[in-house]
Amino acid sequence: MDGPIIFLALVALASTAAMASDPSQLQDFCVADKNSAVFVNGFACKDPNTVTADNFFFSGLDKPGNTSNAGGSSVTPVAVDQVPGLNTLGISLARLDFAPYGLIPPHTHPRATELFTVLEGSILVGFVTSNPGNKQFTKVLNKGDAFVFPQGLIHYQYNIGATSAFAISGLSSQNPGVILVPNAVFGSTPPISDEVLAKAFQVSKQTVDMIQAKF
């Protein structure tokens, strides 16, 4: 009796593993139709007969982003919103620009692993593992160096130089998403209760209110 049960359990596990990854392409491409009223995981496909080369094209990665902001950084994404031809292909990239001592604050990409490559400057990077370890892996990257941030883990990039820096990141999703930790925690709408945040961060409510006011 145990034999058939074990066999069925193994089949169930194998089926779950098979369904956990993205399906193989069933056609050459599926250019995003952003005007479609159909709701799918991603975007519905545009009629292939109306697709043009421009649906696979992006221009401007040679131009630095505007880093005149509090963080001193800028991200220029090249994802499905910018290039409809990326729909269903599971890949995107971004240009990241840093003013001197500019920071991209701790954040996560819920749907993508990131491969970060420095093209100019020296950038301190790091990511932190999940509970209970919360171990940080950190390194200073120079021109030509690359570093991987595993999917979903909190990570950051900080220009430690007195000159501007920039990098290119490849991401394993057409729509990687981003959750900036400071903005999500202190700038949510509606705001998280200051009582909750005061207890979580073990600070006073006044301190929480002061931080929330910045977002």
Side-chain angles (χ1 to χ4, degrees), residues 126-210:
F127 70 84
V128 180
T129 62
S130 55
N131 289 341
N134 294 324
K135 181 176 180 180
Q136 181 184 196
F137 292 87
T138 183
K139 195 167 185 65
V140 173
L141 305 182
N142 297 301
K143 183 176 181 179
D145 293 341
F147 197 81
V148 174
F149 304 113
Q151 180 174 338
L153 296 187
I154 293 174
H155 59 282
Y156 61 87
Q157 296 106 345
Y158 176 52
N159 179 12
I160 59 173
T163 59
S164 298
F166 81 98
I168 292 288
S169 282
L171 299 119
S172 62
S173 171
Q174 68 183 42
N175 182 25
V178 62
I179 301 171
L180 293 170
V181 174
N183 300 61
V185 173
F186 294 104
S188 65
T189 305
I192 299 173
S193 163
D194 57 2
E195 184 174 357
V196 170
L197 294 178
K199 192 171 184 65
F201 288 94
Q202 301 178 38
V203 297
S204 69
K205 292 183 182 179
Q206 290 75 21
T207 299
V208 170
D209 292 340
M210 180 182 67

Side-chain angles (χ1 to χ4, degrees), residues 13 75 130:
L13 286 171
V75 177
S130 55

